[in-house]
Coordinates of all heavy atoms in Angstrom, one line a residue:
N260 N -10.7 88.5 122.9 CA -10.3 88.3 121.5 C -9.5 87.0 121.4 O -9.0 86.5 122.4 CB -9.4 89.5 121.1 CG -10.2 90.8 121.1 OD1 -11.3 90.8 120.8 ND2 -9.5 91.9 121.5
K261 N -9.4 86.5 120.2 CA -8.7 85.3 120.0 C -7.2 85.5 120.5 O -6.7 86.6 120.3 CB -8.7 84.8 118.6 CG -8.0 85.7 117.6 CD -8.1 85.1 116.2 CE -7.3 85.9 115.2 NZ -7.4 85.3 113.8
G262 N -6.6 84.5 121.1 CA -5.3 84.7 121.6 C -5.3 85.1 123.1 O -4.2 85.4 123.6
A263 N -6.4 85.1 123.7 CA -6.5 85.5 125.1 C -6.1 84.2 126.0 O -6.5 83.1 125.6 CB -7.9 86.0 125.5
I264 N -5.3 84.5 127.0 CA -4.9 83.4 127.9 C -5.5 83.8 129.3 O -5.2 84.9 129.8 CB -3.4 83.2 128.0 CG1 -2.8 82.8 126.7 CG2 -3.0 82.3 129.1 CD1 -1.3 82.7 126.6
F265 N -6.2 82.8 129.9 CA -6.6 83.0 131.3 C -5.6 82.2 132.2 O -5.4 81.1 131.9 CB -8.0 82.4 131.5 CG -9.1 83.4 131.1 CD1 -8.9 84.6 130.5 CD2 -10.5 83.0 131.4 CE1 -9.9 85.4 130.1 CE2 -11.5 83.9 131.0 CZ -11.2 85.1 130.4
V266 N -5.1 82.9 133.2 CA -4.3 82.2 134.2 C -4.9 82.5 135.5 O -5.2 83.6 135.9 CB -2.8 82.8 134.2 CG1 -2.0 82.2 135.3 CG2 -2.2 82.6 132.8
D267 N -5.1 81.4 136.3 CA -5.8 81.5 137.6 C -4.8 82.3 138.6 O -3.7 81.8 138.8 CB -6.1 80.2 138.2 CG -7.1 80.2 139.3 OD1 -6.9 81.1 140.2 OD2 -8.1 79.4 139.3
P268 N -5.2 83.4 139.1 CA -4.3 84.2 140.0 C -4.0 83.4 141.3 O -2.9 83.7 141.9 CB -5.1 85.4 140.3 CG -6.5 85.1 140.1 CD -6.5 84.1 138.9
D269 N -4.8 82.5 141.7 CA -4.5 81.7 142.9 C -3.2 80.8 142.7 O -2.7 80.4 143.7 CB -5.7 80.8 143.2 CG -6.9 81.5 143.8 OD1 -6.7 82.7 144.2 OD2 -8.0 81.0 143.8
A270 N -2.8 80.6 141.4 CA -1.6 79.8 141.2 C -0.4 80.5 141.8 O 0.5 79.8 142.2 CB -1.4 79.7 139.7
Y271 N -0.4 81.8 141.9 CA 0.7 82.5 142.5 C 0.8 82.2 144.0 O 1.9 82.2 144.6 CB 0.5 84.0 142.4 CG 0.8 84.5 141.0 CD1 -0.3 84.7 140.1 CD2 2.1 84.8 140.5 CE1 0.0 85.2 138.8 CE2 2.3 85.3 139.3 CZ 1.3 85.5 138.4 OH 1.5 85.9 137.1
F272 N -0.3 81.8 144.6 CA -0.3 81.6 146.1 C -0.3 80.1 146.4 O 0.4 79.6 147.3 CB -1.5 82.3 146.7 CG -1.6 83.7 146.4 CD1 -2.5 84.2 145.5 CD2 -0.7 84.7 147.0 CE1 -2.6 85.5 145.1 CE2 -0.8 86.0 146.6 CZ -1.7 86.4 145.7
L273 N -1.1 79.3 145.6 CA -1.2 77.9 145.9 C -0.1 77.1 145.4 O 0.2 76.0 145.8 CB -2.6 77.4 145.4 CG -3.8 78.0 146.0 CD1 -5.1 77.5 145.4 CD2 -3.8 77.9 147.5
R274 N 0.6 77.6 144.3 CA 1.7 76.9 143.7 C 3.0 77.7 143.9 O 3.4 77.9 145.0 CB 1.4 76.5 142.3 CG 0.2 75.5 142.2 CD -0.2 75.3 140.8 NE 0.7 74.6 140.0 CZ 0.8 73.3 140.0 NH1 0.0 72.5 140.7 NH2 1.7 72.7 139.2
N275 N 3.6 78.1 142.8 CA 4.7 79.0 142.9 C 4.9 79.7 141.6 O 4.2 79.4 140.6 CB 6.0 78.3 143.3 CG 6.3 77.1 142.3 OD1 6.4 77.3 141.1 ND2 6.4 75.9 142.9
L276 N 5.8 80.8 141.6 CA 6.0 81.6 140.4 C 6.4 80.7 139.2 O 6.0 80.9 138.1 CB 7.0 82.7 140.6 CG 7.3 83.6 139.4 CD1 6.0 84.3 139.0 CD2 8.4 84.6 139.8
G277 N 7.3 79.7 139.5 CA 7.8 78.8 138.4 C 6.6 78.1 137.7 O 6.6 77.9 136.5
S278 N 5.7 77.7 138.5 CA 4.5 77.0 137.9 C 3.6 77.9 137.1 O 3.1 77.5 136.1 CB 3.7 76.3 139.1 OG 4.4 75.3 139.7
V279 N 3.5 79.1 137.6 CA 2.7 80.1 136.8 C 3.4 80.4 135.5 O 2.8 80.4 134.4 CB 2.6 81.4 137.6 CG1 1.9 82.5 136.7 CG2 1.7 81.2 138.9
N280 N 4.7 80.6 135.5 CA 5.5 80.8 134.2 C 5.3 79.6 133.3 O 5.1 79.8 132.1 CB 7.0 81.0 134.6 CG 7.2 82.3 135.3 OD1 6.4 83.2 135.3 ND2 8.4 82.4 135.9
N281 N 5.4 78.4 133.9 CA 5.2 77.2 133.0 C 3.8 77.2 132.4 O 3.6 76.8 131.2 CB 5.4 76.0 133.9 CG 5.2 74.7 133.1 OD1 4.1 74.2 133.0 ND2 6.3 74.2 132.5
T282 N 2.8 77.6 133.2 CA 1.4 77.6 132.7 C 1.3 78.5 131.4 O 0.7 78.2 130.4 CB 0.4 78.1 133.7 OG1 0.4 77.2 134.8 CG2 -1.0 78.2 133.2
I283 N 1.9 79.7 131.5 CA 1.8 80.7 130.4 C 2.5 80.1 129.2 O 2.0 80.1 128.0 CB 2.4 82.0 130.8 CG1 1.5 82.6 131.9 CG2 2.4 83.0 129.6 CD1 2.1 83.9 132.5
V284 N 3.7 79.6 129.4 CA 4.5 79.0 128.2 C 3.7 77.8 127.7 O 3.7 77.6 126.4 CB 5.9 78.6 128.7 CG1 6.7 77.9 127.6 CG2 6.7 79.8 129.2
H285 N 3.1 77.0 128.5 CA 2.3 75.9 128.1 C 1.2 76.3 127.1 O 1.0 75.7 126.1 CB 1.7 75.2 129.4 CG 0.8 74.1 129.1 ND1 1.1 72.8 129.5 CD2 -0.5 74.0 128.6 CE1 0.1 72.0 129.2 NE2 -0.8 72.7 128.6
E286 N 0.5 77.4 127.5 CA -0.6 77.9 126.6 C 0.0 78.5 125.3 O -0.6 78.4 124.3 CB -1.4 79.0 127.4 CG -2.0 78.5 128.7 CD -2.9 77.3 128.5 OE1 -3.4 77.1 127.4 OE2 -3.0 76.5 129.5

């Protein structure tokens, strides 16, 4: 549905939680 956000789960392992949080806020 409109308003869906895809976040790559590998971001939790290849980057860090702070970067994942930033990705969601960015979207």
